[in-house]
């Protein structure tokens, strides 16, 4: 069995904010479409709060939830309690999409192979932050810039690979 490629999928504002009150602090339809395209057909790993913030189960993806709460259960969620079990749960999948939140990104960072980052050209208030990724460890392989439009901030899709 080969190890799945571990891919972070996240949107982060220039001040590091990724969330506010369990939701995104912006509405960018192109980013939601990008998220869907990146995660479709692969297991997604997330924390309990991220799972509970979803509008429901996202079709075409397994939902693996990493939580310390040994009693927590939810329909459609595969529950794991540590990083090793989370990685093992990906099974023979080509990739494991790590989709949040901040604690999950921090726990999985040493294992990540690639980061699919949407950089939001804004600095909204928020309560969930992910620090910048160390450029000594991550190289930018691709960048697709989208200017501000329709009252929404500009953003860029980046692919970072572990050096």
């Amino acid at each position: 069995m080969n190890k799945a490629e571990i891919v972070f999928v996240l949107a982060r504002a220039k001040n590091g904010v990724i969330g506010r009150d369990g939701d995104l602090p912006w509405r960018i339809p192109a980013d939601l479409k990008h998220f869907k395209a990146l995660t479709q057909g692969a297991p997604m790993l997330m924390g309990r709060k991220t799972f509970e913030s979803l509008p429901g189960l996202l079709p075409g993806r397994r939902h693996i939830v990493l939580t310390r709460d040994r009693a927590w259960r939810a329909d459609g969620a595969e529950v794991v309690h540590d990083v090793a079990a989370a990685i093992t749960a990906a099974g023979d999948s080509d990739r494991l999409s790590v989709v949040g939140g901040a604690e999950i990104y921090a726990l999985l960072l040493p294992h990540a192979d690639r980061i699919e980052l949407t950089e939001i050209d804004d600095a909204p208030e928020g309560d969930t932050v992910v620090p910048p990724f160390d450029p000594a460890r991550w190289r930018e392989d691709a960048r697709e810039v989208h200017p501000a439009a329709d009252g929404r901030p500009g953003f860029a899709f980046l692919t970072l690979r572990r050096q």
Side-chain angles (χ1 to χ4, degrees):
M1 179 171 77
N2 291 334
K3 174 187 159 302
E5 179 185 29
I6 297 176
V7 181
F8 282 20
V9 181
L10 73 149
R12 182 182 66 208
K14 59 186 177 183
N15 61 353
V17 167
I18 65 166
R20 178 176 59 222
D21 299 327
D23 201 1
L24 297 173
W26 48 75
R27 288 284 169 261
I28 302 175
D31 181 49
L32 297 176
K33 288 173 83 173
H34 188 64
F35 175 88
K36 180 178 180 179
L38 289 169
T39 60
Q40 194 71 38
M44 293 186 313
L45 174 64
M46 66 202 79
R48 177 191 52 80
K49 291 179 196 172
T50 298
F51 179 83
E52 291 174 348
S53 76
L54 296 176
L57 294 176
L58 303 180
R61 290 153 275 195
R62 290 173 39 218
H63 295 65
I64 302 169
V65 179
L66 176 56
T67 178
R68 290 180 290 264
D69 185 346
R70 299 245 171 220
W72 187 86
R73 300 280 180 269
D75 287 343
E78 299 173 40
V79 181
V80 295
H81 301 291
D82 60 55
V83 170
I87 293 170
T88 299
D92 60 0
S93 297
D94 291 340
R95 73 185 185 281
L96 174 63
S97 298
V98 178
V99 299
E103 288 182 54
I104 303 303
Y105 292 128
L107 284 170
L108 270 289
L109 187 60
H111 305 279
D113 300 300
R114 177 167 45 109
I115 299 170
E116 295 293 341
L117 174 64
T118 303
E119 278 188 339
I120 309 295
D121 189 20
D122 197 7
E125 289 187 24
D127 53 23
T128 310
V129 174
V130 169
F133 298 105
D134 181 355
R137 297 190 188 276
W138 296 94
R139 79 173 183 278
E140 184 177 316
D141 267 4
R143 177 181 290 263
E144 179 183 317
V145 177
H146 299 266
D150 302 321
R152 294 185 174 97
F155 60 95
F157 296 138
L158 280 70
T159 298
L160 308 174
R161 294 199 187 275
R162 183 176 293 283
Q163 301 215 65

